[in-house]
Amino acid sequence: MAGGETTSTAMAAITFYLLKSPCSYKKLTKEIRERYGNLDEIDILSTGQLPYLQAVLKEGMRMYVPGPQGLPRTSPGMTVDGHFVPAGVGRPLNIIILLAPVTNC
């Protein structure tokens, strides 16, 4: 199955981080249990409406990228955060960061 390994890796990492943070685990459990009365109610559309669950998933994938490597990027020669990066310098980037909306400007 395509994507099975990356999905299981992401879920394992998210579970790991949740278990290391009992407060986050408790808050997520509360949000899910307050929303659903039984397993049959859970579907992809309704889980998208749970803000804390969505935050946990995004943060988990930000902290532990399930892919084997970052996307390759090569600098054209520019200053980044006050540091000059010469042309041709390569740096793999986390795809989650590349796709995230810029909200901290």
Side-chain angles (χ1 to χ4, degrees):
M1 169 172 62
E5 183 62 30
T6 52
T7 300
S8 63
T9 300
M11 294 308 298
I14 291 166
T15 301
F16 170 79
Y17 288 117
L18 277 173
L19 293 175
K20 288 185 62 93
S21 176
C23 291
S24 297
Y25 178 78
K26 185 176 180 178
K27 184 173 180 176
L28 179 60
T29 301
K30 182 178 186 288
E31 180 181 68
I32 292 169
R33 289 191 175 157
E34 286 179 354
R35 169 60 178 85
Y36 301 107
N38 63 61
L39 188 61
D40 295 332
E41 296 175 11
I42 301 173
D43 61 35
I44 191 72
L45 295 175
S46 65
T47 57
Q49 303 302 313
L50 300 177
Y52 197 72
L53 172 61
Q54 294 304 309
V56 165
L57 294 174
K58 288 176 184 175
E59 182 66 1
M61 288 187 285
R62 183 192 69 81
M63 292 177 65
Y64 192 89
V65 179
Q69 64 186 17
L71 295 175
R73 296 289 297 254
T74 303
S75 171
M78 62 189 300
T79 301
V80 178
D81 197 26
H83 302 279
F84 181 72
V85 181
V89 171
R91 172 81 172 116
L93 295 178
N94 179 330
I95 190 165
I96 301 299
I97 293 170
L98 290 175
L99 298 175
V102 178
T103 57
N104 60 348
C105 294

Coordinates of all heavy atoms in Angstrom, one line a residue:
M1 N 0.8 -1.2 0.0 CA 0.0 0.0 0.0 C 0.9 1.2 0.0 O 1.8 1.4 0.8 CB -0.9 0.0 1.2 CG -1.6 1.3 1.4 SD -2.9 1.3 2.7 CE -1.9 0.9 4.2
A2 N 0.7 2.1 -0.9 CA 1.5 3.3 -1.0 C 1.2 4.2 0.2 O 0.1 4.5 0.6 CB 1.1 4.1 -2.3
G3 N 2.3 4.7 0.8 CA 2.1 5.7 1.9 C 1.9 5.0 3.2 O 1.9 5.7 4.3
G4 N 1.9 3.7 3.3 CA 1.6 3.0 4.5 C 2.7 3.2 5.5 O 2.5 3.3 6.7
E5 N 4.0 3.1 5.1 CA 5.1 3.2 6.0 C 5.2 4.7 6.6 O 5.4 4.8 7.7 CB 6.4 2.9 5.3 CG 7.6 2.9 6.2 CD 7.6 1.9 7.3 OE1 6.9 0.9 7.2 OE2 8.2 2.2 8.4
T6 N 5.0 5.7 5.7 CA 5.1 7.0 6.2 C 3.9 7.3 7.2 O 4.1 8.0 8.2 CB 5.1 8.1 5.1 OG1 4.0 7.8 4.2 CG2 6.4 8.0 4.3
T7 N 2.7 6.8 6.9 CA 1.6 7.0 7.8 C 1.9 6.4 9.1 O 1.6 7.0 10.2 CB 0.3 6.4 7.1 OG1 0.1 7.1 5.9 CG2 -0.9 6.6 8.1
S8 N 2.3 5.1 9.1 CA 2.6 4.4 10.4 C 3.7 5.1 11.2 O 3.7 5.2 12.4 CB 2.9 3.0 10.2 OG 4.0 2.8 9.4
T9 N 4.7 5.6 10.5 CA 5.8 6.3 11.1 C 5.3 7.6 11.8 O 5.7 7.9 12.9 CB 6.9 6.6 10.1 OG1 7.4 5.4 9.6 CG2 8.1 7.4 10.8
A10 N 4.5 8.4 11.1 CA 3.9 9.6 11.6 C 3.1 9.3 12.8 O 3.2 10.0 13.9 CB 3.1 10.3 10.5
M11 N 2.2 8.3 12.8 CA 1.4 8.0 13.9 C 2.2 7.5 15.1 O 1.9 7.8 16.2 CB 0.3 6.9 13.5 CG -0.7 7.4 12.5 SD -1.5 9.0 12.9 CE -2.3 8.5 14.4
A12 N 3.2 6.7 14.9 CA 4.1 6.3 16.0 C 4.8 7.5 16.6 O 4.9 7.6 17.9 CB 5.1 5.3 15.4
A13 N 5.3 8.4 15.8 CA 5.9 9.6 16.4 C 4.9 10.5 17.2 O 5.2 11.0 18.3 CB 6.6 10.5 15.3
I14 N 3.7 10.7 16.6 CA 2.7 11.5 17.3 C 2.3 10.8 18.6 O 2.2 11.5 19.6 CB 1.5 11.7 16.4 CG1 1.9 12.7 15.2 CG2 0.3 12.3 17.1 CD1 0.9 12.7 14.1
T15 N 2.2 9.5 18.6 CA 1.8 8.8 19.8 C 3.0 9.0 20.9 O 2.7 9.2 22.0 CB 1.6 7.3 19.5 OG1 0.5 7.2 18.6 CG2 1.3 6.5 20.8
F16 N 4.2 8.8 20.4 CA 5.4 9.0 21.3 C 5.3 10.4 22.0 O 5.5 10.5 23.2 CB 6.7 8.9 20.5 CG 7.9 9.2 21.2 CD1 8.5 8.4 22.1 CD2 8.5 10.5 21.0 CE1 9.6 8.7 22.8 CE2 9.6 10.8 21.7 CZ 10.2 10.0 22.6
Y17 N 5.2 11.4 21.2 CA 5.1 12.8 21.7 C 3.9 13.0 22.7 O 4.1 13.7 23.7 CB 5.2 13.9 20.6 CG 6.5 13.9 20.0 CD1 6.7 13.7 18.6 CD2 7.7 14.3 20.7 CE1 7.9 13.7 18.0 CE2 8.9 14.4 20.1 CZ 9.0 14.1 18.7 OH 10.2 14.1 18.1
L18 N 2.8 12.4 22.3 CA 1.6 12.6 23.2 C 1.9 11.9 24.5 O 1.5 12.4 25.6 CB 0.4 12.0 22.5 CG -0.4 12.9 21.6 CD1 -1.4 12.1 20.9 CD2 -0.9 14.1 22.3
L19 N 2.5 10.7 24.5 CA 2.8 10.0 25.8 C 3.8 10.7 26.6 O 3.9 10.5 27.8 CB 3.2 8.6 25.5 CG 2.1 7.7 24.9 CD1 2.6 6.3 24.5 CD2 0.9 7.6 25.8
K20 N 4.7 11.5 26.0 CA 5.6 12.3 26.7 C 5.0 13.6 27.3 O 5.7 14.2 28.1 CB 6.9 12.6 25.9 CG 7.7 11.4 25.6 CD 9.0 11.8 24.8 CE 9.9 12.8 25.5 NZ 10.9 12.2 26.3
S21 N 3.8 13.9 26.9 CA 3.2 15.1 27.3 C 1.8 14.8 27.8 O 0.8 14.9 27.1 CB 3.1 16.1 26.2 OG 2.4 17.2 26.6
P22 N 1.7 14.3 29.1 CA 0.4 13.9 29.6 C -0.7 15.0 29.5 O -1.9 14.7 29.3 CB 0.7 13.6 31.1 CG 2.1 13.2 31.1 CD 2.7 14.1 30.1
C23 N -0.4 16.3 29.7 CA -1.4 17.3 29.6 C -1.9 17.4 28.2 O -3.2 17.5 28.0 CB -0.7 18.7 29.9 SG -0.3 18.8 31.7
S24 N -1.1 17.3 27.2 CA -1.6 17.3 25.8 C -2.4 16.1 25.5 O -3.5 16.2 24.8 CB -0.4 17.3 24.8 OG 0.4 18.5 25.0
Y25 N -2.0 14.9 26.0 CA -2.7 13.7 25.8 C -4.1 13.8 26.4 O -5.1 13.4 25.8 CB -2.0 12.5 26.4 CG -2.7 11.2 26.3 CD1 -2.7 10.5 25.1 CD2 -3.4 10.7 27.4 CE1 -3.4 9.3 25.0 CE2 -4.1 9.5 27.3 CZ -4.1 8.8 26.1 OH -4.8 7.6 26.0
K26 N -4.2 14.3 27.6 CA -5.5 14.5 28.3 C -6.4 15.5 27.6 O -7.6 15.2 27.4 CB -5.2 15.0 29.7 CG -6.4 15.1 30.6 CD -6.1 15.5 32.0 CE -7.4 15.6 32.9 NZ -7.1 15.9 34.2
K27 N -5.8 16.6 27.1 CA -6.6 17.6 26.4 C -7.2 17.0 25.0 O -8.3 17.2 24.7 CB -5.8 18.8 26.1 CG -6.5 19.9 25.4 CD -5.6 21.2 25.3 CE -6.4 22.3 24.6 NZ -5.7 23.5 24.6
L28 N -6.3 16.2 24.3 CA -6.8 15.6 23.1 C -7.9 14.6 23.4 O -8.9 14.5 22.7 CB -5.6 14.9 22.4 CG -6.0 14.2 21.1 CD1 -6.6 15.2 20.1 CD2 -4.7 13.6 20.5
T29 N -7.7 13.7 24.4 CA -8.6 12.7 24.8 C -10.0 13.4 25.1 O -11.0 12.9 24.7 CB -8.1 11.9 26.0 OG1 -6.9 11.3 25.6 CG2 -9.1 10.8 26.4
K30 N -9.9 14.5 25.8 CA -11.1 15.2 26.2 C -11.9 15.7 25.0 O -13.1 15.6 24.9 CB -10.8 16.3 27.2 CG -12.0 17.1 27.7 CD -11.5 18.2 28.7 CE -12.6 19.0 29.3 NZ -13.3 19.9 28.5
E31 N -11.1 16.3 24.1 CA -11.8 16.9 22.9 C -12.5 15.8 22.1 O -13.6 15.9 21.6 CB -10.7 17.5 22.0 CG -11.3 18.1 20.7 CD -10.3 18.8 19.8 OE1 -9.4 18.1 19.2 OE2 -10.4 20.0 19.7
I32 N -11.8 14.6 21.9 CA -12.4 13.5 21.1 C -13.6 12.9 21.8 O -14.6 12.7 21.2 CB -11.3 12.4 20.9 CG1 -10.2 13.0 19.9 CG2 -11.9 11.2 20.3 CD1 -9.0 12.2 19.8
R33 N -13.5 12.7 23.1 CA -14.6 12.0 23.9 C -15.8 12.9 24.0 O -16.9 12.4 24.1 CB -14.1 11.5 25.2 CG -13.1 10.4 25.1 CD -12.8 9.7 26.3 NE -12.0 8.5 26.0 CZ -11.2 7.9 26.9 NH1 -11.1 8.4 28.1 NH2 -10.5 6.9 26.5
E34 N -15.6 14.2 24.1 CA -16.7 15.1 24.1 C -17.4 15.2 22.8 O -18.6 15.5 22.7 CB -16.3 16.5 24.6 CG -15.9 16.6 26.1 CD -15.5 18.0 26.5 OE1 -15.3 18.9 25.7 OE2 -15.3 18.1 27.7
R35 N -16.7 15.0 21.7 CA -17.3 15.1 20.4 C -18.0 13.9 19.9 O -19.0 13.9 19.2 CB -16.2 15.5 19.4 CG -16.6 15.4 17.9 CD -17.7 16.3 17.5 NE -18.0 16.2 16.1 CZ -18.8 15.3 15.6 NH1 -19.4 14.4 16.3 NH2 -19.1 15.4 14.3
Y36 N -17.5 12.7 20.3 CA -18.0 11.4 19.8 C -18.7 10.6 20.9 O -18.1 10.4 22.0 CB -17.0 10.6 19.1 CG -16.3 11.4 17.9 CD1 -15.0 11.9 18.0 CD2 -17.0 11.5 16.7 CE1 -14.5 12.6 17.0 CE2 -16.5 12.2 15.7 CZ -15.2 12.7 15.8 OH -14.6 13.4 14.7
G37 N -19.8 10.0 20.6 CA -20.5 9.1 21.5 C -20.1 7.6 21.2 O -20.1 6.8 22.2
N38 N -19.8 7.3 20.0 CA -19.3 6.0 19.6 C -18.5 6.0 18.4 O -18.4 7.0 17.7 CB -20.5 5.0 19.4 CG -21.4 5.5 18.3 OD1 -20.9 5.5 17.1 ND2 -22.7 5.8 18.6
L39 N -17.8 4.9 18.1 CA -16.8 4.8 17.1 C -17.4 5.1 15.7 O -16.8 5.6 14.8 CB -16.2 3.4 17.1 CG -15.1 3.1 16.2 CD1 -13.9 4.0 16.5 CD2 -14.6 1.6 16.3
D40 N -18.7 4.7 15.5 CA -19.3 4.9 14.2 C -19.5 6.4 13.8 O -19.7 6.7 12.6 CB -20.7 4.3 14.2 CG -20.6 2.8 14.4 OD1 -19.6 2.2 14.0 OD2 -21.6 2.2 14.9
E41 N -19.4 7.3 14.7 CA -19.5 8.7 14.4 C -18.2 9.3 13.9 O -18.3 10.4 13.3 CB -19.9 9.5 15.7 CG -21.2 9.1 16.3 CD -21.5 9.8 17.6 OE1 -20.8 10.7 17.9 OE2 -22.5 9.4 18.2
I42 N -17.1 8.6 14.0 CA -15.8 9.2 13.6 C -15.6 9.0 12.1 O -15.7 7.9 11.6 CB -14.7 8.5 14.4 CG1 -14.9 8.7 15.9 CG2 -13.3 9.1 13.9 CD1 -13.9 8.0 16.7
D43 N -15.4 10.1 11.4 CA -15.1 10.1 10.0 C -14.1 11.2 9.7 O -13.8 12.1 10.5 CB -16.3 10.1 9.1 CG -17.2 11.4 9.3 OD1 -16.6 12.5 9.5 OD2 -18.4 11.3 9.2
I44 N -13.6 11.2 8.4 CA -12.6 12.2 8.0 C -13.1 13.6 8.1 O -12.4 14.5 8.5 CB -12.1 11.9 6.6 CG1 -10.8 12.7 6.3 CG2 -13.1 12.1 5.6 CD1 -9.6 12.3 7.1
L45 N -14.4 13.9 7.8 CA -14.9 15.2 7.8 C -15.0 15.7 9.3 O -14.7 16.9 9.5 CB -16.3 15.3 7.1 CG -16.2 15.0 5.6 CD1 -17.6 15.0 5.0 CD2 -15.4 16.0 4.9
S46 N -15.6 14.9 10.1 CA -15.7 15.4 11.5 C -14.4 15.5 12.3 O -14.3 16.4 13.1 CB -16.7 14.4 12.3 OG -16.1 13.1 12.5
T47 N -13.4 14.7 12.0 CA -12.1 14.9 12.7 C -11.4 16.2 12.2 O -10.7 16.8 13.0 CB -11.2 13.7 12.4 OG1 -11.0 13.5 11.0 CG2 -11.8 12.4 13.1
G48 N -11.8 16.6 11.0 CA -11.2 17.9 10.5 C -11.7 19.1 11.3 O -11.2 20.2 11.2
Q49 N -12.8 18.9 12.0 CA -13.4 20.0 12.8 C -12.9 20.0 14.2 O -13.4 20.8 15.0 CB -14.9 19.8 12.8 CG -15.5 19.8 11.4 CD -15.2 21.0 10.6 OE1 -15.4 22.2 11.1 NE2 -14.7 20.9 9.4
L50 N -12.0 19.1 14.6 CA -11.5 19.1 16.0 C -10.1 19.9 16.0 O -9.1 19.4 15.5 CB -11.2 17.7 16.4 CG -12.5 16.8 16.5 CD1 -12.1 15.4 16.9 CD2 -13.5 17.4 17.4
P51 N -10.2 21.1 16.5 CA -9.0 22.0 16.4 C -7.7 21.5 17.1 O -6.6 21.6 16.6 CB -9.4 23.3 17.0 CG -10.7 23.1 17.7 CD -11.3 21.8 17.1
Y52 N -7.9 20.9 18.3 CA -6.7 20.4 19.0 C -6.2 19.2 18.3 O -4.9 19.0 18.2 CB -7.1 20.1 20.5 CG -5.8 20.0 21.3 CD1 -5.1 21.1 21.6 CD2 -5.3 18.8 21.7 CE1 -3.9 21.1 22.3 CE2 -4.2 18.7 22.5 CZ -3.5 19.8 22.8 OH -2.3 19.8 23.5
L53 N -7.0 18.3 17.8 CA -6.5 17.1 17.1 C -5.7 17.6 15.8 O -4.6 17.0 15.6 CB -7.7 16.2 16.6 CG -7.3 15.1 15.7 CD1 -6.4 14.1 16.3 CD2 -8.6 14.4 15.2
Q54 N -6.2 18.5 15.1 CA -5.5 19.0 13.9 C -4.2 19.6 14.3 O -3.2 19.4 13.7 CB -6.4 20.1 13.2 CG -7.6 19.5 12.6 CD -7.4 18.3 11.7 OE1 -6.5 18.4 10.7 NE2 -8.0 17.2 11.9
A55 N -4.2 20.4 15.4 CA -2.9 21.0 15.9 C -1.9 19.9 16.3 O -0.7 20.0 16.0 CB -3.2 21.9 17.1
V56 N -2.4 18.8 17.0 CA -1.5 17.7 17.4 C -0.9 17.0 16.2 O 0.3 16.8 16.1 CB -2.3 16.7 18.3 CG1 -1.5 15.4 18.4 CG2 -2.5 17.3 19.6
L57 N -1.7 16.8 15.2 CA -1.2 16.1 13.9 C -0.2 17.0 13.2 O 0.9 16.5 12.8 CB -2.4 15.8 13.0 CG -3.4 14.8 13.5 CD1 -4.6 14.7 12.6 CD2 -2.7 13.4 13.8
K58 N -0.5 18.3 13.1 CA 0.5 19.1 12.4 C 1.8 19.3 13.1 O 2.8 19.3 12.6 CB -0.2 20.5 12.1 CG -1.3 20.5 11.1 CD -2.0 21.8 10.9 CE -3.1 21.7 9.9 NZ -3.9 23.0 9.9
E59 N 1.7 19.4 14.4 CA 2.9 19.6 15.3 C 3.7 18.3 15.3 O 4.9 18.3 15.2 CB 2.5 20.0 16.7 CG 3.7 20.2 17.6 CD 4.6 21.4 17.2 OE1 4.3 22.1 16.2 OE2 5.6 21.6 17.9
G60 N 3.0 17.2 15.3 CA 3.7 15.9 15.3 C 4.5 15.7 14.0 O 5.6 15.3 14.0
M61 N 3.9 16.1 12.9 CA 4.6 15.9 11.6 C 5.6 17.0 11.4 O 6.6 16.8 10.7 CB 3.6 16.0 10.5 CG 2.7 14.7 10.4 SD 1.7 14.6 9.0 CE 0.4 15.7 9.4
R62 N 5.5 18.1 12.1 CA 6.6 19.1 12.0 C 7.8 18.7 12.8 O 8.9 18.8 12.4 CB 6.1 20.5 12.6 CG 7.1 21.6 12.5 CD 6.8 22.8 13.3 NE 6.8 22.5 14.8 CZ 8.0 22.5 15.5 NH1 9.1 22.7 14.9 NH2 7.9 22.2 16.8
M63 N 7.5 18.0 14.0 CA 8.6 17.6 14.8 C 9.3 16.4 14.3 O 10.5 16.2 14.5 CB 8.1 17.4 16.2 CG 7.7 18.6 16.9 SD 7.0 18.4 18.5 CE 8.4 17.7 19.4
Y64 N 8.6 15.5 13.6 CA 9.2 14.3 13.1 C 8.6 14.0 11.7 O 7.5 13.4 11.6 CB 8.8 13.1 14.1 CG 9.6 11.9 13.7 CD1 10.9 11.7 14.3 CD2 9.1 10.9 12.9 CE1 11.6 10.5 14.0 CE2 9.9 9.8 12.5 CZ 11.1 9.6 13.1 OH 11.9 8.5 12.8
V65 N 9.3 14.4 10.7 CA 8.9 14.2 9.3 C 8.9 12.8 9.0 O 10.0 12.1 9.1 CB 9.8 15.0 8.4 CG1 9.4 14.9 7.0 CG2 9.8 16.5 8.8
P66 N 7.8 12.2 8.5 CA 7.8 10.7 8.3 C 8.6 10.3 7.0 O 8.8 9.1 6.8 CB 6.3 10.4 8.2 CG 5.7 11.7 7.8 CD 6.5 12.8 8.4
G67 N 8.9 11.2 6.1 CA 9.6 10.9 4.9 C 11.1 10.6 5.2 O 11.6 10.9 6.2
P68 N 11.7 9.9 4.2 CA 13.1 9.5 4.4 C 14.1 10.7 4.4 O 15.2 10.6 4.9 CB 13.4 8.5 3.3 CG 12.4 9.0 2.2 CD 11.2 9.5 2.9
Q69 N 13.7 11.8 3.8 CA 14.6 12.9 3.7 C 13.8 14.2 3.4 O 12.7 14.1 3.0 CB 15.7 12.7 2.7 CG 15.1 12.6 1.3 CD 16.1 12.3 0.2 OE1 17.2 11.8 0.6 NE2 15.8 12.5 -1.0
G70 N 14.4 15.3 3.7 CA 13.8 16.6 3.3 C 13.8 16.8 1.8 O 14.6 16.1 1.1
L71 N 13.1 17.8 1.4 CA 13.1 18.2 -0.1 C 14.4 19.0 -0.3 O 14.7 19.9 0.4 CB 11.9 19.0 -0.4 CG 10.6 18.3 -0.3 CD1 9.5 19.3 -0.6 CD2 10.5 17.1 -1.3
P72 N 15.2 18.6 -1.3 CA 16.4 19.4 -1.6 C 16.1 20.8 -2.1 O 15.3 21.0 -2.9 CB 17.1 18.5 -2.7 CG 16.0 17.8 -3.4 CD 14.9 17.6 -2.3
R73 N 16.9 21.7 -1.5 CA 16.8 23.1 -1.9 C 18.2 23.6 -2.1 O 19.1 23.3 -1.3 CB 16.1 24.0 -0.9 CG 14.6 23.6 -0.6 CD 13.7 24.0 -1.8 NE 13.7 25.4 -2.0 CZ 12.7 26.3 -1.7 NH1 11.6 25.8 -1.1 NH2 12.8 27.5 -2.0
T74 N 18.4 24.4 -3.1 CA 19.8 25.0 -3.3 C 19.6 26.5 -3.3 O 18.8 27.1 -4.0 CB 20.3 24.5 -4.7 OG1 20.4 23.1 -4.7 CG2 21.7 25.1 -4.9
S75 N 20.5 27.1 -2.5 CA 20.5 28.6 -2.4 C 20.9 29.3 -3.7 O 21.9 28.9 -4.3 CB 21.4 29.0 -1.2 OG 21.5 30.4 -1.2
P76 N 20.2 30.3 -4.1 CA 20.6 31.1 -5.2 C 21.7 32.2 -4.8 O 22.2 32.9 -5.6 CB 19.3 31.8 -5.7 CG 18.5 31.9 -4.4 CD 18.9 30.7 -3.6
G77 N 22.0 32.2 -3.5 CA 22.8 33.2 -2.9 C 22.0 34.3 -2.3 O 21.5 35.2 -3.1
M78 N 21.8 34.3 -1.0 CA 20.9 35.3 -0.4 C 21.1 35.3 1.1 O 21.7 34.4 1.7 CB 19.4 35.0 -0.7 CG 18.9 33.7 -0.2 SD 17.3 33.2 -0.8 CE 16.3 34.6 -0.2
T79 N 20.6 36.3 1.7 CA 20.6 36.5 3.2 C 19.3 35.9 3.8 O 18.2 36.3 3.3 CB 20.8 37.9 3.6 OG1 22.0 38.4 3.0 CG2 20.9 38.1 5.1
V80 N 19.5 35.0 4.7 CA 18.4 34.4 5.4 C 18.5 34.6 6.9 O 19.5 34.2 7.5 CB 18.3 32.9 5.1 CG1 17.1 32.2 5.9 CG2 18.2 32.6 3.6
D81 N 17.6 35.3 7.5 CA 17.6 35.6 8.9 C 18.9 36.2 9.4 O 19.5 35.9 10.4 CB 17.3 34.3 9.7 CG 16.9 34.6 11.2 OD1 16.3 35.7 11.4 OD2 17.1 33.7 12.0
G82 N 19.4 37.1 8.5 CA 20.6 37.9 8.9 C 21.9 37.1 8.5 O 23.0 37.6 8.8
H83 N 21.8 36.0 7.9 CA 23.0 35.2 7.6 C 23.1 35.0 6.1 O 22.1 34.5 5.5 CB 23.0 33.8 8.3 CG 22.9 33.9 9.8 ND1 24.0 34.2 10.6 CD2 21.8 33.8 10.6 CE1 23.6 34.2 11.8 NE2 22.3 34.0 11.9
F84 N 24.3 35.3 5.5 CA 24.4 35.1 4.1 C 24.6 33.6 3.8 O 25.5 33.0 4.3 CB 25.6 35.9 3.5 CG 25.7 35.7 2.0 CD1 24.8 36.3 1.2 CD2 26.7 35.0 1.5 CE1 24.9 36.1 -0.2 CE2 26.8 34.8 0.1 CZ 25.9 35.4 -0.7
V85 N 23.8 33.1 2.8 CA 24.0 31.7 2.4 C 24.5 31.8 0.9 O 23.7 32.3 0.0 CB 22.6 31.0 2.4 CG1 22.8 29.5 2.0 CG2 22.0 31.0 3.8
P86 N 25.7 31.3 0.7 CA 26.3 31.4 -0.7 C 25.5 30.6 -1.7 O 24.8 29.6 -1.4 CB 27.7 30.8 -0.5 CG 28.0 30.9 0.9 CD 26.6 30.7 1.6
A87 N 25.6 31.0 -3.0 CA 24.9 30.3 -4.1 C 25.5 28.9 -4.1 O 26.6 28.6 -3.9 CB 25.1 31.0 -5.4
G88 N 24.6 27.9 -4.4 CA 25.0 26.5 -4.5 C 24.9 25.7 -3.3 O 25.1 24.5 -3.3
V89 N 24.8 26.4 -2.1 CA 24.7 25.6 -0.9 C 23.4 24.9 -0.8 O 22.3 25.5 -1.0 CB 24.9 26.5 0.4 CG1 24.6 25.8 1.7 CG2 26.3 27.1 0.4
G90 N 23.4 23.6 -0.5 CA 22.2 22.8 -0.5 C 21.8 22.6 0.9 O 22.6 22.5 1.9
R91 N 20.5 22.4 1.1 CA 19.9 22.2 2.5 C 18.5 21.5 2.3 O 17.7 22.1 1.6 CB 19.7 23.5 3.2 CG 19.0 23.4 4.5 CD 19.9 23.0 5.6 NE 19.2 23.1 6.9 CZ 18.9 22.0 7.6 NH1 19.2 20.8 7.2 NH2 18.3 22.2 8.8
P92 N 18.4 20.3 2.8 CA 17.0 19.7 2.7 C 16.0 20.4 3.7 O 16.4 20.8 4.8 CB 17.3 18.3 3.2 CG 18.5 18.3 4.0 CD 19.3 19.5 3.5
L93 N 14.8 20.6 3.2 CA 13.8 21.3 4.0 C 12.7 20.4 4.3 O 12.3 19.5 3.5 CB 13.3 22.5 3.2 CG 14.3 23.6 3.0 CD1 13.7 24.8 2.2 CD2 14.9 24.2 4.3
N94 N 12.1 20.6 5.5 CA 10.9 19.9 5.9 C 9.7 20.3 5.1 O 9.4 21.5 5.0 CB 10.7 20.2 7.4 CG 9.5 19.5 8.0 OD1 8.5 19.3 7.3 ND2 9.6 19.3 9.3
I95 N 9.1 19.3 4.4 CA 7.9 19.6 3.5 C 6.8 20.3 4.3 O 6.1 21.1 3.8 CB 7.4 18.4 2.8 CG1 6.5 18.8 1.7 CG2 6.8 17.4 3.7 CD1 6.2 17.8 0.6
I96 N 6.6 19.9 5.5 CA 5.5 20.5 6.3 C 5.7 22.0 6.5 O 4.8 22.8 6.4 CB 5.4 19.9 7.7 CG1 5.2 18.4 7.6 CG2 4.4 20.5 8.6 CD1 3.9 18.0 6.9
I97 N 7.0 22.4 6.7 CA 7.3 23.9 6.8 C 7.1 24.6 5.5 O 6.6 25.7 5.4 CB 8.7 24.1 7.3 CG1 8.8 23.5 8.7 CG2 9.2 25.5 7.2 CD1 10.2 23.5 9.3
L98 N 7.5 23.9 4.4 CA 7.3 24.5 3.0 C 5.8 24.8 2.7 O 5.5 25.7 2.0 CB 7.9 23.7 2.0 CG 9.4 23.6 2.0 CD1 9.9 22.6 0.9 CD2 10.0 24.9 1.7
L99 N 4.9 23.9 3.2 CA 3.5 23.9 2.8 C 2.7 24.7 3.8 O 1.5 25.1 3.6 CB 2.9 22.5 2.7 CG 3.6 21.7 1.6 CD1 3.0 20.2 1.7 CD2 3.4 22.2 0.3
A100 N 3.3 25.1 5.0 CA 2.6 25.8 6.0 C 2.3 27.2 5.6 O 3.2 27.9 5.0 CB 3.3 25.7 7.4
P101 N 1.2 27.8 6.0 CA 1.0 29.2 5.7 C 1.9 30.1 6.6 O 2.2 29.7 7.7 CB -0.5 29.4 6.1 CG -0.8 28.3 7.0 CD 0.1 27.2 6.7
V102 N 2.3 31.2 6.0 CA 3.2 32.1 6.7 C 2.3 33.0 7.6 O 1.5 33.8 7.1 CB 4.0 32.9 5.8 CG1 4.9 33.9 6.6 CG2 4.9 32.0 4.9
T103 N 2.4 32.8 8.9 CA 1.6 33.6 9.9 C 2.4 34.3 10.9 O 1.9 34.9 11.8 CB 0.6 32.6 10.6 OG1 1.3 31.6 11.3 CG2 -0.4 32.0 9.6
N104 N 3.7 34.2 10.8 CA 4.5 34.9 11.8 C 5.3 36.1 11.2 O 6.4 36.4 11.7 CB 5.5 33.9 12.4 CG 6.4 33.2 11.4 OD1 6.2 33.4 10.2 ND2 7.4 32.5 11.9
C105 N 4.8 36.7 10.2 CA 5.4 37.9 9.6 C 5.1 39.2 10.4 O 4.1 39.3 10.9 CB 5.0 38.0 8.2 SG 5.6 36.7 7.2

